[in-house]
Structure formats: C-alpha cells, structure tokens
Amino acid sequence: MAKEKVCLAYSGGLDTSCILAWLIEKGYAVVCFMADVGQEEDFEAAKKKALKIGAEKVYVEDLRRAFVEELCFPAIQCNAVYEGVYLLGTSLARPVIARSQIAVAQKEKCVAVSHGCTGKGNDQVRFELAFYALQPSIKVIAPWRLPEFYTRFVGRNDLLNYAAQQNIPVTSTKSKPWSMDENLAHCSYEAGILEDPDTTPPDDMWKLTTPPASAPSEPEDFTVTFKAGIPTELTTSSGTTTGPLELFLAANALARRHGVGRIDIVENRFIGIKSRGCYETPGLTVLWVAHMDLEGLTLDREVRALRDQFATVGWSRCLYNGLYFSPEREYLERAVVAAQDGVTGQVRCRAFKGHVAVLGRRSDTSKLYDMSESSMDEIGDFEPSDTTGFIAVQAIRLKKYGVTKADKGERL
C-alpha cells in the first residue's frame, strides 16, 4: 500500500529538517516545498539536504515577481500599514507562498500539508487559513502544536540530538540569539534577546540596511513615477528602471545604501499576544512614502478619507490576520483600486542617513490642484466673500454647543 504523501514547507534549517525526518518516521512520504520570495538562501544546498534526509522530491518555486505584482504593489496602492508603523513585510509574502504550496500538494496528490510555524505566532494562522480557503479538504500537520512533537523536542538541544541520530547535517555555526524571516520586501527579527522590549538591538543584527550613521554623507535624489497608484518607473542619476520586479529591486538597493526602513516596535498579534519585532523594509518604505505624497495632489478629499478610515485599515488587518483569501479582502481591494484611478504622476524624493524626504510632486492628469486657486497672491476663480457664508453655516451647531455648555456652567 502506498504511503500517504505530505507537502512540507521546508527551509533547510534545523526545525524543518527535523520535521521532515519526523514525518518520514511517522510513515509519510514527504515532498518538500521551498518558496523563493527574495530571501538570501542557498536553495540548491537546501534541496540536496532534504533529499539526503529522505524527501521524495523538492520543489523550489520562484515567486518574486508574483510577490511584487500581486501583494507589494497593491499594498502600496492601499498605503497598507499595521498599527501605524509596520508595513506588513512578513504578512505580504504568505499568500503567494501558501498558494504555491497548495499547487504543489495538488500536483503531487498529497493528503496533507505541513509547516514549521510555532504555536504562538501569527504565521500558523496565516498559512492555515490560506490552505483551507485554497483547498477546503486539505489536512494540515502542524508539529509545533502536537503534544507528541513539542514534548519530545522541548528545546534546541533535543532537536540537535535528534538530528545527530537521524544523520541530519547541521550547520556548525552558532545560532543567533533571535529569529529572522526575510523576503524581498523586508527582514524581521524577533524572539531571543529581543523578547525584552527594553533591550537595544545590537548593531550587527540588522542585515539589509547600512547603519544610518555610516550611510553616505551625500544625499541621493530619485523620482518615482506612478500610474493609477502603481509604481512604473524609478529614476536615479544612473538611469530609469521599469518593470515591477526590477523597479522593486532598484528601490531596495537605493534604500539599503542609505539605511532607510528600520523600525523597532511592540505589536499586537492576532492570537492575542503582544510581540516585540524589529523590521527592515527598505524599498517598500520609499515607494510607500512617495505614493502617499502623490495622493495629496491627486486624490479627492472625501475618497481619501473613506479609503483611509475603511479600506486601508481593513485591507491591512486582513493581511496581518491571514485573511487574504477572503471575501472582505476582495471587496476592500476593489474599493482601493477604484480610488486609485487618478493617482498618476511623479514624486521627487531624497534618501539620506535613514530618512526619505519628498522634494516635490507633479501630475499631468489630475485637475484637483489649481495653483491660481490656492495662491495667496491672486484671487483666481475663488471668491473670498463666499467663505463668510461657509463659516456661518459651520458655526450653527457650535454656537448651540457653546450655549449648552455655558448653561451648565462648564468651561470649554
């Protein structure tokens, strides 16, 4: 009788290598899946390692372009942000990874998918909700939530001992006192010494960006061109870059040089736990800043207010909470795209020692901004005397509020 087949999200690290051996020990045939979402990874070495441990096949899928086009650029259109500061770098990668893993599982006729997410984190929720939406009948094996697994492997030493027993090759380098997750949009750091929210991250932790104090002493100017809220060109002194993936890579390189995109926060995880995280989000930060600025010039006031209060918050929460494959995310994204029709133009920016500043913006298509109308040096088509009636109408309810407070003897 053929063994039941499982598709394991594999990284090549200690945890997923032990999970691979454990699944084989439990009687499963295992197909390993690796997603290239722009992280620095020796995929060929990891593939050889998985096959040596006993995987039947290893798939390495290049998802970088889909990641940028389907998740990062819509996030820019939306001005997506969680709790005011986090640009959702980890969350954004999960939908394309989950979709590709399910596609491999279906191709290989797997009865289950498996992952190495911890039982306290957000990623277990993000991946599994995506799996169930993409293939409702799929079985999920989450070892770090199974007592037979987590009571057997209580700590890193237990995993190392098991790896030795199973002849699993383990890199002999000392483990860093924090965990990392990297993709094209960012790198995150958490756990270990970072669990104390008052511990300053060591300088050698940051992987992607130049320390701002050591960044070039000369600023670098650049221009981002948008069409309907999507970045289409990035122009620097070296030339113009087009194409979604190529543009994103160029934005990353520029922002990394100048130390742009570092944050250190305490956030609220979906499962109810507060978590301290440090993030580097270089290219996405400069594109996000430029896009938000262009909206000031090109987006209608009431449309922007509704989008900010409703779509931005809702879409960001969907991504953070693992609800990308949901009717509410689809609805919100349609609203965002509709709001972006007129967000076309150019934004001139400057990167310098950890900061990105806007120098100017223009749009040849938007008619919302009128220099003559806004000028303090000419009347234009605006009649100043009309403002008297506007103020009088706005003051009606405030006068009544003032009288009410006075009658109560309360101070405004």
Side-chain angles (χ1 to χ4, degrees), residues 328-353:
E328 60 268 34
R329 194 277 309 170
E330 287 190 3
Y331 168 71
L332 290 164
E333 196 158 308
R334 289 192 189 104
V336 169
V337 171
Q340 294 294 295
D341 282 346
V343 184
T344 296
Q346 296 180 324
V347 182
R348 294 186 298 109
C349 301
R350 173 171 292 165
F352 184 57
K353 290 193 176 296

PDB file of all heavy atoms in Angstrom, residues 328-353:
ATOM      1  N   GLU A 328     -13.958  39.652   2.207  1.00  0.00           N
ATOM      2  CA  GLU A 328     -13.762  41.040   2.630  1.00  0.00           C
ATOM      3  C   GLU A 328     -12.507  41.648   2.010  1.00  0.00           C
ATOM      4  O   GLU A 328     -12.487  42.822   1.649  1.00  0.00           O
ATOM      5  CB  GLU A 328     -13.746  41.163   4.163  1.00  0.00           C
ATOM      6  CG  GLU A 328     -12.669  40.388   4.881  1.00  0.00           C
ATOM      7  CD  GLU A 328     -13.108  38.999   5.311  1.00  0.00           C
ATOM      8  OE1 GLU A 328     -13.903  38.379   4.577  1.00  0.00           O
ATOM      9  OE2 GLU A 328     -12.635  38.527   6.360  1.00  0.00           O
ATOM     10  N   ARG A 329     -11.429  40.842   1.887  1.00  0.00           N
ATOM     11  CA  ARG A 329     -10.225  41.382   1.252  1.00  0.00           C
ATOM     12  C   ARG A 329     -10.483  41.698  -0.220  1.00  0.00           C
ATOM     13  O   ARG A 329     -10.062  42.742  -0.731  1.00  0.00           O
ATOM     14  CB  ARG A 329      -9.078  40.382   1.408  1.00  0.00           C
ATOM     15  CG  ARG A 329      -7.695  40.961   1.082  1.00  0.00           C
ATOM     16  CD  ARG A 329      -7.369  40.973  -0.409  1.00  0.00           C
ATOM     17  NE  ARG A 329      -7.581  39.671  -1.019  1.00  0.00           N
ATOM     18  CZ  ARG A 329      -7.558  39.455  -2.325  1.00  0.00           C
ATOM     19  NH1 ARG A 329      -7.363  40.452  -3.168  1.00  0.00           N
ATOM     20  NH2 ARG A 329      -7.784  38.245  -2.807  1.00  0.00           N
ATOM     21  N   GLU A 330     -11.193  40.828  -0.907  1.00  0.00           N
ATOM     22  CA  GLU A 330     -11.513  41.100  -2.313  1.00  0.00           C
ATOM     23  C   GLU A 330     -12.339  42.373  -2.446  1.00  0.00           C
ATOM     24  O   GLU A 330     -12.090  43.213  -3.325  1.00  0.00           O
ATOM     25  CB  GLU A 330     -12.274  39.917  -2.926  1.00  0.00           C
ATOM     26  CG  GLU A 330     -11.407  38.697  -3.178  1.00  0.00           C
ATOM     27  CD  GLU A 330     -12.142  37.652  -4.009  1.00  0.00           C
ATOM     28  OE1 GLU A 330     -13.289  37.925  -4.423  1.00  0.00           O
ATOM     29  OE2 GLU A 330     -11.571  36.570  -4.236  1.00  0.00           O
ATOM     30  N   TYR A 331     -13.310  42.530  -1.598  1.00  0.00           N
ATOM     31  CA  TYR A 331     -14.162  43.720  -1.631  1.00  0.00           C
ATOM     32  C   TYR A 331     -13.353  44.984  -1.377  1.00  0.00           C
ATOM     33  O   TYR A 331     -13.456  45.979  -2.106  1.00  0.00           O
ATOM     34  CB  TYR A 331     -15.269  43.569  -0.584  1.00  0.00           C
ATOM     35  CG  TYR A 331     -16.052  44.824  -0.305  1.00  0.00           C
ATOM     36  CD1 TYR A 331     -16.945  45.329  -1.245  1.00  0.00           C
ATOM     37  CD2 TYR A 331     -15.891  45.511   0.897  1.00  0.00           C
ATOM     38  CE1 TYR A 331     -17.671  46.481  -0.995  1.00  0.00           C
ATOM     39  CE2 TYR A 331     -16.609  46.661   1.157  1.00  0.00           C
ATOM     40  CZ  TYR A 331     -17.497  47.148   0.207  1.00  0.00           C
ATOM     41  OH  TYR A 331     -18.198  48.299   0.451  1.00  0.00           O
ATOM     42  N   LEU A 332     -12.519  44.946  -0.343  1.00  0.00           N
ATOM     43  CA  LEU A 332     -11.709  46.109   0.010  1.00  0.00           C
ATOM     44  C   LEU A 332     -10.721  46.452  -1.097  1.00  0.00           C
ATOM     45  O   LEU A 332     -10.495  47.627  -1.403  1.00  0.00           O
ATOM     46  CB  LEU A 332     -10.954  45.846   1.315  1.00  0.00           C
ATOM     47  CG  LEU A 332     -11.813  45.800   2.572  1.00  0.00           C
ATOM     48  CD1 LEU A 332     -11.046  45.161   3.719  1.00  0.00           C
ATOM     49  CD2 LEU A 332     -12.283  47.192   2.959  1.00  0.00           C
ATOM     50  N   GLU A 333     -10.153  45.434  -1.725  1.00  0.00           N
ATOM     51  CA  GLU A 333      -9.172  45.701  -2.777  1.00  0.00           C
ATOM     52  C   GLU A 333      -9.825  46.333  -3.997  1.00  0.00           C
ATOM     53  O   GLU A 333      -9.230  47.195  -4.657  1.00  0.00           O
ATOM     54  CB  GLU A 333      -8.446  44.410  -3.162  1.00  0.00           C
ATOM     55  CG  GLU A 333      -7.178  44.667  -3.952  1.00  0.00           C
ATOM     56  CD  GLU A 333      -6.203  43.503  -3.872  1.00  0.00           C
ATOM     57  OE1 GLU A 333      -5.869  43.045  -2.757  1.00  0.00           O
ATOM     58  OE2 GLU A 333      -5.762  43.054  -4.942  1.00  0.00           O
ATOM     59  N   ARG A 334     -11.044  45.937  -4.304  1.00  0.00           N
ATOM     60  CA  ARG A 334     -11.761  46.588  -5.418  1.00  0.00           C
ATOM     61  C   ARG A 334     -11.987  48.063  -5.103  1.00  0.00           C
ATOM     62  O   ARG A 334     -11.880  48.926  -5.987  1.00  0.00           O
ATOM     63  CB  ARG A 334     -13.088  45.881  -5.663  1.00  0.00           C
ATOM     64  CG  ARG A 334     -12.961  44.492  -6.267  1.00  0.00           C
ATOM     65  CD  ARG A 334     -14.312  43.972  -6.747  1.00  0.00           C
ATOM     66  NE  ARG A 334     -14.230  42.571  -7.124  1.00  0.00           N
ATOM     67  CZ  ARG A 334     -14.687  41.563  -6.386  1.00  0.00           C
ATOM     68  NH1 ARG A 334     -15.288  41.817  -5.232  1.00  0.00           N
ATOM     69  NH2 ARG A 334     -14.582  40.319  -6.801  1.00  0.00           N
ATOM     70  N   ALA A 335     -12.313  48.354  -3.858  1.00  0.00           N
ATOM     71  CA  ALA A 335     -12.523  49.749  -3.465  1.00  0.00           C
ATOM     72  C   ALA A 335     -11.226  50.542  -3.577  1.00  0.00           C
ATOM     73  O   ALA A 335     -11.216  51.699  -4.035  1.00  0.00           O
ATOM     74  CB  ALA A 335     -13.061  49.819  -2.035  1.00  0.00           C
ATOM     75  N   VAL A 336     -10.116  49.934  -3.182  1.00  0.00           N
ATOM     76  CA  VAL A 336      -8.818  50.606  -3.272  1.00  0.00           C
ATOM     77  C   VAL A 336      -8.466  50.898  -4.726  1.00  0.00           C
ATOM     78  O   VAL A 336      -8.061  52.015  -5.077  1.00  0.00           O
ATOM     79  CB  VAL A 336      -7.717  49.745  -2.617  1.00  0.00           C
ATOM     80  CG1 VAL A 336      -6.330  50.318  -2.943  1.00  0.00           C
ATOM     81  CG2 VAL A 336      -7.917  49.672  -1.109  1.00  0.00           C
ATOM     82  N   VAL A 337      -8.605  49.910  -5.582  1.00  0.00           N
ATOM     83  CA  VAL A 337      -8.273  50.086  -7.000  1.00  0.00           C
ATOM     84  C   VAL A 337      -9.132  51.186  -7.623  1.00  0.00           C
ATOM     85  O   VAL A 337      -8.629  52.025  -8.390  1.00  0.00           O
ATOM     86  CB  VAL A 337      -8.449  48.755  -7.767  1.00  0.00           C
ATOM     87  CG1 VAL A 337      -8.324  48.976  -9.273  1.00  0.00           C
ATOM     88  CG2 VAL A 337      -7.402  47.736  -7.296  1.00  0.00           C
ATOM     89  N   ALA A 338     -10.408  51.215  -7.282  1.00  0.00           N
ATOM     90  CA  ALA A 338     -11.293  52.260  -7.810  1.00  0.00           C
ATOM     91  C   ALA A 338     -10.839  53.648  -7.365  1.00  0.00           C
ATOM     92  O   ALA A 338     -10.915  54.616  -8.124  1.00  0.00           O
ATOM     93  CB  ALA A 338     -12.728  52.003  -7.345  1.00  0.00           C
ATOM     94  N   ALA A 339     -10.326  53.745  -6.138  1.00  0.00           N
ATOM     95  CA  ALA A 339      -9.878  55.039  -5.610  1.00  0.00           C
ATOM     96  C   ALA A 339      -8.591  55.509  -6.270  1.00  0.00           C
ATOM     97  O   ALA A 339      -8.256  56.698  -6.217  1.00  0.00           O
ATOM     98  CB  ALA A 339      -9.674  54.942  -4.111  1.00  0.00           C
ATOM     99  N   GLN A 340      -7.860  54.594  -6.896  1.00  0.00           N
ATOM    100  CA  GLN A 340      -6.533  54.914  -7.425  1.00  0.00           C
ATOM    101  C   GLN A 340      -6.526  55.348  -8.894  1.00  0.00           C
ATOM    102  O   GLN A 340      -5.450  55.638  -9.437  1.00  0.00           O
ATOM    103  CB  GLN A 340      -5.614  53.700  -7.259  1.00  0.00           C
ATOM    104  CG  GLN A 340      -5.325  53.348  -5.818  1.00  0.00           C
ATOM    105  CD  GLN A 340      -4.514  54.419  -5.119  1.00  0.00           C
ATOM    106  OE1 GLN A 340      -3.371  54.678  -5.454  1.00  0.00           O
ATOM    107  NE2 GLN A 340      -5.122  55.064  -4.125  1.00  0.00           N
ATOM    108  N   ASP A 341      -7.676  55.425  -9.524  1.00  0.00           N
ATOM    109  CA  ASP A 341      -7.737  55.756 -10.951  1.00  0.00           C
ATOM    110  C   ASP A 341      -6.936  57.005 -11.304  1.00  0.00           C
ATOM    111  O   ASP A 341      -6.252  57.050 -12.326  1.00  0.00           O
ATOM    112  CB  ASP A 341      -9.194  55.952 -11.391  1.00  0.00           C
ATOM    113  CG  ASP A 341      -9.916  54.625 -11.601  1.00  0.00           C
ATOM    114  OD1 ASP A 341      -9.221  53.601 -11.662  1.00  0.00           O
ATOM    115  OD2 ASP A 341     -11.152  54.634 -11.693  1.00  0.00           O
ATOM    116  N   GLY A 342      -7.020  58.028 -10.465  1.00  0.00           N
ATOM    117  CA  GLY A 342      -6.378  59.295 -10.800  1.00  0.00           C
ATOM    118  C   GLY A 342      -5.013  59.503 -10.167  1.00  0.00           C
ATOM    119  O   GLY A 342      -4.409  60.586 -10.309  1.00  0.00           O
ATOM    120  N   VAL A 343      -4.508  58.497  -9.450  1.00  0.00           N
ATOM    121  CA  VAL A 343      -3.229  58.667  -8.747  1.00  0.00           C
ATOM    122  C   VAL A 343      -2.087  58.367  -9.721  1.00  0.00           C
ATOM    123  O   VAL A 343      -1.452  57.299  -9.699  1.00  0.00           O
ATOM    124  CB  VAL A 343      -3.153  57.780  -7.490  1.00  0.00           C
ATOM    125  CG1 VAL A 343      -1.855  58.040  -6.726  1.00  0.00           C
ATOM    126  CG2 VAL A 343      -4.351  58.047  -6.587  1.00  0.00           C
ATOM    127  N   THR A 344      -1.872  59.312 -10.601  1.00  0.00           N
ATOM    128  CA  THR A 344      -0.867  59.191 -11.651  1.00  0.00           C
ATOM    129  C   THR A 344       0.006  60.447 -11.634  1.00  0.00           C
ATOM    130  O   THR A 344      -0.510  61.566 -11.607  1.00  0.00           O
ATOM    131  CB  THR A 344      -1.534  59.030 -13.029  1.00  0.00           C
ATOM    132  OG1 THR A 344      -2.268  57.790 -13.041  1.00  0.00           O
ATOM    133  CG2 THR A 344      -0.512  59.026 -14.156  1.00  0.00           C
ATOM    134  N   GLY A 345       1.306  60.249 -11.631  1.00  0.00           N
ATOM    135  CA  GLY A 345       2.213  61.398 -11.609  1.00  0.00           C
ATOM    136  C   GLY A 345       3.595  60.999 -11.163  1.00  0.00           C
ATOM    137  O   GLY A 345       3.952  59.811 -11.149  1.00  0.00           O
ATOM    138  N   GLN A 346       4.388  61.986 -10.779  1.00  0.00           N
ATOM    139  CA  GLN A 346       5.769  61.763 -10.375  1.00  0.00           C
ATOM    140  C   GLN A 346       6.040  62.419  -9.021  1.00  0.00           C
ATOM    141  O   GLN A 346       5.522  63.500  -8.732  1.00  0.00           O
ATOM    142  CB  GLN A 346       6.742  62.335 -11.405  1.00  0.00           C
ATOM    143  CG  GLN A 346       6.669  61.650 -12.768  1.00  0.00           C
ATOM    144  CD  GLN A 346       7.658  62.271 -13.742  1.00  0.00           C
ATOM    145  OE1 GLN A 346       7.898  63.473 -13.722  1.00  0.00           O
ATOM    146  NE2 GLN A 346       8.240  61.447 -14.596  1.00  0.00           N
ATOM    147  N   VAL A 347       6.866  61.759  -8.228  1.00  0.00           N
ATOM    148  CA  VAL A 347       7.270  62.291  -6.920  1.00  0.00           C
ATOM    149  C   VAL A 347       8.799  62.281  -6.859  1.00  0.00           C
ATOM    150  O   VAL A 347       9.433  61.249  -7.085  1.00  0.00           O
ATOM    151  CB  VAL A 347       6.700  61.454  -5.760  1.00  0.00           C
ATOM    152  CG1 VAL A 347       7.097  62.066  -4.421  1.00  0.00           C
ATOM    153  CG2 VAL A 347       5.177  61.358  -5.866  1.00  0.00           C
ATOM    154  N   ARG A 348       9.375  63.447  -6.579  1.00  0.00           N
ATOM    155  CA  ARG A 348      10.828  63.568  -6.419  1.00  0.00           C
ATOM    156  C   ARG A 348      11.176  63.431  -4.941  1.00  0.00           C
ATOM    157  O   ARG A 348      10.572  64.094  -4.096  1.00  0.00           O
ATOM    158  CB  ARG A 348      11.323  64.903  -6.966  1.00  0.00           C
ATOM    159  CG  ARG A 348      11.169  65.054  -8.465  1.00  0.00           C
ATOM    160  CD  ARG A 348      11.810  66.338  -8.976  1.00  0.00           C
ATOM    161  NE  ARG A 348      11.178  67.532  -8.406  1.00  0.00           N
ATOM    162  CZ  ARG A 348      11.747  68.311  -7.515  1.00  0.00           C
ATOM    163  NH1 ARG A 348      12.965  68.039  -7.031  1.00  0.00           N
ATOM    164  NH2 ARG A 348      11.113  69.395  -7.055  1.00  0.00           N
ATOM    165  N   CYS A 349      12.133  62.562  -4.649  1.00  0.00           N
ATOM    166  CA  CYS A 349      12.474  62.249  -3.265  1.00  0.00           C
ATOM    167  C   CYS A 349      13.977  62.313  -3.044  1.00  0.00           C
ATOM    168  O   CYS A 349      14.769  62.329  -3.990  1.00  0.00           O
ATOM    169  CB  CYS A 349      11.978  60.844  -2.899  1.00  0.00           C
ATOM    170  SG  CYS A 349      10.209  60.583  -3.080  1.00  0.00           S
ATOM    171  N   ARG A 350      14.341  62.300  -1.772  1.00  0.00           N
ATOM    172  CA  ARG A 350      15.751  62.290  -1.386  1.00  0.00           C
ATOM    173  C   ARG A 350      15.943  61.305  -0.231  1.00  0.00           C
ATOM    174  O   ARG A 350      15.238  61.359   0.780  1.00  0.00           O
ATOM    175  CB  ARG A 350      16.197  63.679  -0.958  1.00  0.00           C
ATOM    176  CG  ARG A 350      17.603  63.756  -0.365  1.00  0.00           C
ATOM    177  CD  ARG A 350      18.040  65.203  -0.181  1.00  0.00           C
ATOM    178  NE  ARG A 350      18.241  65.854  -1.477  1.00  0.00           N
ATOM    179  CZ  ARG A 350      18.340  67.167  -1.645  1.00  0.00           C
ATOM    180  NH1 ARG A 350      18.223  67.981  -0.586  1.00  0.00           N
ATOM    181  NH2 ARG A 350      18.535  67.680  -2.843  1.00  0.00           N
ATOM    182  N   ALA A 351      16.922  60.401  -0.388  1.00  0.00           N
ATOM    183  CA  ALA A 351      17.285  59.465   0.676  1.00  0.00           C
ATOM    184  C   ALA A 351      18.577  59.938   1.319  1.00  0.00           C
ATOM    185  O   ALA A 351      19.554  60.263   0.620  1.00  0.00           O
ATOM    186  CB  ALA A 351      17.466  58.068   0.105  1.00  0.00           C
ATOM    187  N   PHE A 352      18.597  59.953   2.669  1.00  0.00           N
ATOM    188  CA  PHE A 352      19.780  60.453   3.359  1.00  0.00           C
ATOM    189  C   PHE A 352      19.794  59.968   4.802  1.00  0.00           C
ATOM    190  O   PHE A 352      18.892  60.267   5.573  1.00  0.00           O
ATOM    191  CB  PHE A 352      19.799  61.980   3.329  1.00  0.00           C
ATOM    192  CG  PHE A 352      21.034  62.604   3.922  1.00  0.00           C
ATOM    193  CD1 PHE A 352      22.298  62.291   3.428  1.00  0.00           C
ATOM    194  CD2 PHE A 352      20.940  63.499   4.965  1.00  0.00           C
ATOM    195  CE1 PHE A 352      23.442  62.873   3.967  1.00  0.00           C
ATOM    196  CE2 PHE A 352      22.081  64.087   5.518  1.00  0.00           C
ATOM    197  CZ  PHE A 352      23.336  63.774   5.011  1.00  0.00           C
ATOM    198  N   LYS A 353      20.782  59.147   5.130  1.00  0.00           N
ATOM    199  CA  LYS A 353      21.051  58.702   6.502  1.00  0.00           C
ATOM    200  C   LYS A 353      19.794  58.251   7.256  1.00  0.00           C
ATOM    201  O   LYS A 353      19.439  58.777   8.317  1.00  0.00           O
ATOM    202  CB  LYS A 353      21.781  59.799   7.272  1.00  0.00           C
ATOM    203  CG  LYS A 353      23.228  59.993   6.785  1.00  0.00           C
ATOM    204  CD  LYS A 353      24.036  60.839   7.715  1.00  0.00           C
ATOM    205  CE  LYS A 353      25.487  60.923   7.260  1.00  0.00           C
ATOM    206  NZ  LYS A 353      26.197  59.617   7.294  1.00  0.00           N
TER     207      LYS A 353
END
